[in-house]
């Protein structure tokens, strides 16, 4: 099946928010943000700005008619700072003017004074000061304390991972248009249309039915627009509401990089205990999450960290604790993997360190401890339909891990400054929002009298291909050409109360709702066809390639003919349906339950070459065996696996957020923040989908694919670590991502 959106993208014809025709009377907004990370606001003078050329209005928190609050889970985040600044880049005021340049000029005329206070930037410092977003949480399985005495090797250490800029191509932006009777229509670049609707309603003091939010598509979200598109939409809506004129707000790249939230940096302490033959008996870990200055999604992300403490492994005794720590940095937020990559990095570091102590290749330990059917996760859920070992074995079959390791060792024996390393990275990722409530979706299908079909859902297309997948679902139910089906923009007036498109569940949840909606219409069409055939039993009727069959015989009735007849007989050719993932639950009072519909599994082999004089490296090969179930669209899934891997290896090796002591992000431009490019792509990149995958827990036996492949990138860190070990076997490895060439050089030669 072709990916029908691609020709539009390739020709540059796909419409993004900034491409929409601009309404008459449009104003452009710009914001004035805090130049310090922490302190008291002594004064804020908007007067000169208000008189600035072409400026229609300048606003601060006092101009908010509703609540000055955008915190989604915890109400700790003002839309605009009132008396205190808690991160550099926090919005203090907003100007609306005739052009974007004039709006920025107006903000430059705003004067503010502060009583500065020292910022806290490190989560461990914050923890020591008791600056917690919520009480720490602990997941445990077995009896970790008594397990240590049964271990032959116990290894302790620290593992830290840095944040990550989303670097979506389309920066944060929104267009707000006042509607009659003081309502508001907002075009937003958000993964959460209903979240923006709630945010705007809250800030403007309006009921939800007076706020309409529409999203055509995003130029990338990656989690950065799950929560953090809302404030920008609220700011545009605030100015539009006050001035009763359309207002557009578009951040430039530097503003977006400097002011918006990123992946959470984590620091962790671990302790791991193994038997002599490599079985992991006990694992203890404490995660310090750098949450930034407001909760945002931090508590949900921390929860997913805990759920993925043991990744793809069965560990009988686990104690994992974690805390969200407030610092004076822009609130960190969702990013592909949502806290799970941070957890998996720590466990791989622990395994790597233990392997070094035991003089084994980590893969020996990894393989020995892979999950088996029925094994318990630390939250008490058994692994069902477990593919951990199958993916590993298939990858081993395809790549021959032993031979790859020997090749690297042979090479290393004859090369002094160039070293090779291999690593295997197994991944197991739980699918469902961990907040059970969010696992619901609605869909609305219309069949028109010419046989074409429109589908609405809450799903947001952000490049991950969910629209094409929804078309595939509808096309399969109706058995018609997907070209006859269109997916409408997500709109809060078509499908209400939608969850964000996130947690990799976009196709699962919305696809299931679309299937149910289409099935309702199909049942009515079969009934009509039965009447037309004079057959009292619509169950004997099938539809194939746009034709109705009766007991496998072509009836001569086409899709169009039956629709025309159904319309004539006054049959409803529209349907709304609703899907809620069955069977999931979680009890936070005991931290046990079955929060996920199922898990996604996979294994990646990584080979790297490190130049130990220069500290530079090449990723020679990544070979992935991934379980995509019965894919709704294999081409899209391949793109997701490849893209996820590359984004993951960028996080692990080159993307570095650098904050100075004042809390300023020093790498807030494309020139100073390094993201992977074509040259970072492995020379050899193989994606192999596990055979005979099926998955009764998701629509049409498919599997979610969006986030899990990100974590294959972790393998690159440990492949490099193996190469470094070959160069200097005595030196103890450090676990502090990203593993940049600078860090490699310092490690090797200091
Ligand atoms: N792929 C592209 N091209 N662009 C994106 O923004 N976001 C990722 C992933 N793949 C993203 C992407 C994230 S963080 C998630 S949660 C899923 O897509 C969301 O889409 P899905 O649930 O429909 O898979
Ligand atoms: N968002 C969310 C997510 O609200 N809950 C989740 O469990 C989740 N998981 C991954 C990505 N986004
Ligand atoms: Mo993805 S982090 O769930 O938007």
């Amino acid at each position: 099946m072709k990916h029908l959106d691609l020709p539009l993208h390739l020709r540059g014809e796909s419409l993004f928010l900034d491409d929409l025709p601009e309404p008459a009377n449009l104003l452009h907004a710009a914001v004035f943000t805090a130049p310090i990370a922490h302190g008291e606001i002594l004064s804020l003078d908007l007067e000169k700005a208000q008189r600035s050329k072409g400026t229609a209005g300048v606003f601060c928190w006092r101009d908010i008619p509703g609540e000055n609050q955008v915190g989604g889970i915890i109400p700790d985040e003002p839309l605009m700072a009132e008396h205190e600044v808690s991160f550099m880049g926090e919005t203090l005021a907003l100007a609306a003017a005739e052009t974007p340049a004039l709006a920025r000029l107006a903000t430059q005329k705003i004067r503010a004074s502060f009583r500065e206070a020292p910022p806290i930037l490190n989560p461990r410092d914050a923890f020591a000061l008791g600056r917690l977003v919520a009480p720490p949480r602990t997941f445990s399985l077995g009896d970790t304390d008594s397990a240590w005495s049964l271990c032959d090797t116990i290894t302790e250490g620290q593992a830290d991972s840095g944040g990550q800029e989303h670097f979506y191509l389309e920066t944060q932006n929104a267009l707000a248009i006042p509607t009659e009777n003081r309502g508001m229509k907002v075009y937003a670049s958000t993964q959460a249309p209903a979240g923006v609707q709630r945010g705007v309603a809250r800030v403007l003091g309006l009921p939800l039915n007076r706020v309409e939010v529409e999203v055509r598509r995003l130029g990338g979200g990656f989690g950065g627009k799950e929560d953090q598109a809302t404030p920008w939409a609220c700011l545009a809506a605030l100015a539009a509401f006050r001035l009763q004129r359309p207002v557009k707000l578009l951040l430039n790249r530097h503003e977006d990089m400097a002011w918006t939230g990123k992946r959470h940096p984590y620091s962790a302490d671990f302790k791991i205990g193994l038997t002599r033959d490599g079985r992991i008996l006990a694992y203890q870990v404490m995660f310090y999450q750098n949450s930034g200055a407001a909760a945002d999604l931090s508590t949900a992300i921390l929860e997913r960290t805990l759920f993925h403490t043991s990744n793809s492994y069965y560990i009988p005794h686990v104690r994992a604790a974690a805390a969200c720590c407030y610092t004076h940095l822009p609130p960190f937020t969702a990013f592909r993997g949502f806290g799970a990559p941070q957890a998996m990095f720590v466990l791989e570091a622990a395994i790597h360190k233990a392997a070094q102590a035991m003089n084994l290749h980590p893969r020996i330990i990894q393989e020995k401890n892979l999950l088996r059917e029925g094994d318990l996760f630390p939250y008490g859920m058994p692994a069902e339909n477990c593919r951990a070992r199958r993916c590993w074995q298939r990858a081993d079959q395809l790549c021959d891990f032993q031979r790859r390791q020997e090749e690297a060792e042979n090479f290393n024996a004859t090369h002094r400054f160039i070293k090779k390393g291999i690593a295997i990275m197994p991944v197991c990722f739980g699918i469902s929002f961990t907040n059970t409530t969010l696992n619901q979706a609605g869909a609305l299908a219309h069949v028109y009298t010419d046989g074409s079909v429109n589908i609405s859902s809450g799903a947001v297309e952000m490049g991950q291909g969910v629209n094409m997948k929804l078309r595939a679902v509808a096309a399969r139910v109706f058995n018609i050409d997907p070209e006859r089906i269109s997916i409408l923009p997500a709109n809060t007036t078509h499908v209400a109360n939608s969850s964000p498109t996130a947690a990799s569940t976009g196709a699962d949840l919305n696809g299931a709702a679309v299937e149910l909606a289409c099935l309702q219409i199909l049942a009515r069409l079969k009934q009509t066809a039965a009447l037309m055939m004079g057959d009292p039993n619509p169950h004997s009727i099938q539809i194939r390639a746009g034709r109705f069959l009766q007991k496998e015989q072509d009836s001569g009735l086409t899709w169009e003919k039956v629709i025309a007849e159904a319309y004539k007989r006054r049959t409803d050719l529209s349907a709304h349906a609703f899907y809620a993932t069955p069977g999931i639950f979680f009890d936070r009072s005991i931290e046990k339950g079955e929060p996920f519909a199922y898990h996604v599994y996979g294994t990646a082999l990584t080979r790297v070459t490190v130049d130990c004089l220069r500290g530079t490296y090449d990723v020679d090969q990544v070979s992935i065996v991934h379980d995509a179930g019965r894919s709704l669209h294999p081409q899209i899934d391949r793109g997701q696996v490849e893209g996820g891997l590359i984004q993951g290896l960028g996080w692990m090796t080159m993307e570095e957020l650098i904050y100075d002591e004042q809390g300023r992000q020093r790498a807030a431009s494309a020139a100073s923040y390094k993201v992977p490019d074509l040259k970072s792509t492995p020379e050899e990149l193989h994606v192999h989908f596990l055979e005979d995958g099926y998955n009764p827990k998701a629509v049409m036996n498919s599997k979610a694919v969006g986030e899990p492949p990100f974590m294959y990138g972790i393998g690159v860190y440990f492949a490099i670590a193996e190469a470094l070990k070959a160069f200097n076997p005595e030196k103890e490895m450090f676990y502090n991502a990203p593993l940049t060439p600078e860090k490699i050089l310092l490690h090797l030669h200091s």
Side-chain angles (χ1 to χ4, degrees), residues 162-166 262-263 335 647-648 650-651 655 657 673 710:
Q164 185 178 23
E165 161 64 37
H166 298 86
K262 299 156 203 327
R263 178 185 298 285
F335 196 140
Q647 202 166 33
W651 173 57
E655 299 188 38
L657 296 175
Y673 184 82
F710 181 92

Side-chain angles (χ1 to χ4, degrees), residues 220-223 335-336 462-464 466 501-507 640 706-707:
F222 304 110
F335 196 140
R336 205 171 194 170
M462 54 186 121
Q464 88 281 38
V466 69
T501 301
S504 305
T505 61
Q640 285 295 296
E707 295 171 285

Side-chain angles (χ1 to χ4, degrees), residues 239-280:
F241 191 76
R242 298 296 309 215
L243 298 166
Q244 287 298 303
R245 285 176 67 176
V247 174
K248 187 163 165 174
L249 174 57
L250 167 62
L251 299 193
N252 66 32
R253 178 65 59 187
H254 171 73
E255 292 167 342
D256 193 302
M257 290 182 79
W259 301 340
T260 70
K262 299 156 203 327
R263 178 185 298 285
H264 291 78
Y266 273 59
S267 183
D269 295 317
F270 63 79
K271 179 174 175 184
I272 192 167
L274 295 91
T275 59
R276 203 163 290 111
D277 63 347
R279 233 162 16 94
I280 305 172

Side-chain angles (χ1 to χ4, degrees), residues 19-171:
D19 300 321
L20 295 180
E22 295 190 337
N25 268 328
L26 178 69
L27 291 166
H28 297 268
V31 296
F32 173 77
T33 64
I36 62 164
H38 183 204
E40 196 187 326
I41 304 170
L42 298 178
S43 67
L44 181 67
D45 180 2
L46 308 180
E47 224 185 280
K48 261 181 87 183
Q50 269 150 348
R51 285 186 277 110
S52 183
K53 186 177 162 204
T55 300
V58 184
F59 308 103
C60 69
W61 67 274
R62 293 178 204 279
D63 300 299
I64 293 174
E67 221 188 314
N68 180 23
Q69 184 52 244
V70 289
I73 300 176
I74 295 169
D76 68 348
E77 188 177 355
L79 179 63
M80 290 193 271
E82 297 187 5
H83 309 294
E84 204 195 306
V85 165
S86 59
F87 65 93
M88 199 178 287
E90 186 170 5
T91 301
L92 297 181
L94 166 77
E98 299 300 330
T99 69
L102 288 174
R104 287 195 172 81
L105 183 69
T107 63
Q108 284 158 19
K109 295 181 180 165
I110 293 172
R111 292 287 165 265
S113 61
F114 306 92
R115 181 178 296 124
E116 260 191 88
I120 292 155
L121 307 174
N122 180 305
R124 289 181 188 253
D125 296 344
F127 185 83
L129 292 167
R131 294 173 48 90
L132 299 183
V133 176
R137 292 178 62 181
T138 304
F139 280 25
S140 60
L141 184 70
D143 179 358
T144 312
D145 288 333
S146 22
W148 301 118
S149 64
L150 307 172
C151 298
D152 299 311
T153 316
I154 294 174
T155 307
E156 294 182 65
Q158 181 174 339
D160 295 358
S161 58
Q164 185 178 23
E165 161 64 37
H166 298 86
F167 222 95
Y168 28 62
L169 292 182
E170 179 197 20
T171 51

